[in-house]
Amino acid sequence: MSPENCPKCNGTIQPLSMTLCWFPFFLRCSHCNVKLKLKSYRVLALTAVAYIALMIVSIMLVPFVRSYGLGILLGVFGWYVVYYYAARYMLNKDNLQLLE
Ligand SMILES: [Zn+2]
């Protein structure tokens, strides 16, 4: 059972699908093509703030991260991992609404 459900067709909304390319402004269900928006951006905002703070701290405190541009690589890759897990909480039926 997946938590990412479309309120219209009950299809699974994949956190990394291309239909989310305009996320977080709006997103589309890949099954019924309906436009959706998040009711609450709280989880997304908290996740982004916590992640940016963590990256800044690790870049300042860990010299290894600063060298070889590793910070950027880690930052981008890490964000996808964090986003993937955060999306499981954001993209549930209770937090999605149809956009007319
Ligand atoms: Zn749908």
Side-chain angles (χ1 to χ4, degrees):
M1 209 175 87
S2 170
E4 296 99 39
N5 282 325
C6 169
K8 195 179 179 192
C9 70
N10 283 324
T12 303
I13 296 167
Q14 297 294 338
L16 297 179
S17 82
M18 284 307 287
T19 53
L20 296 178
C21 56
W22 291 101
F23 189 78
F25 304 107
F26 71 88
L27 49 143
R28 252 178 219 282
C29 173
S30 53
H31 301 276
C32 61
N33 220 28
V34 74
K35 264 191 196 174
L36 301 164
K37 78 186 277 288
L38 293 180
K39 277 183 196 165
S40 163
Y41 288 86
R42 203 180 51 191
V43 174
L44 181 68
L46 282 175
T47 307
V49 167
Y51 185 71
I52 290 165
L54 186 78
M55 282 314 294
I56 290 171
V57 168
S58 58
I59 285 167
M60 285 191 313
L61 297 183
V62 187
F64 178 71
V65 175
R66 260 201 312 263
S67 53
Y68 314 115
L70 264 177
I72 297 160
L73 271 174
L74 266 170
V76 173
F77 181 74
W79 173 247
Y80 276 105
V81 175
V82 168
Y83 164 74
Y84 187 83
Y85 285 101
R88 299 183 72 82
Y89 293 96
M90 288 184 286
L91 300 177
N92 65 61
K93 212 177 207 168
D94 299 328
N95 199 31
L96 287 169
Q97 66 183 36
L98 299 174
L99 207 68
E100 302 302 331

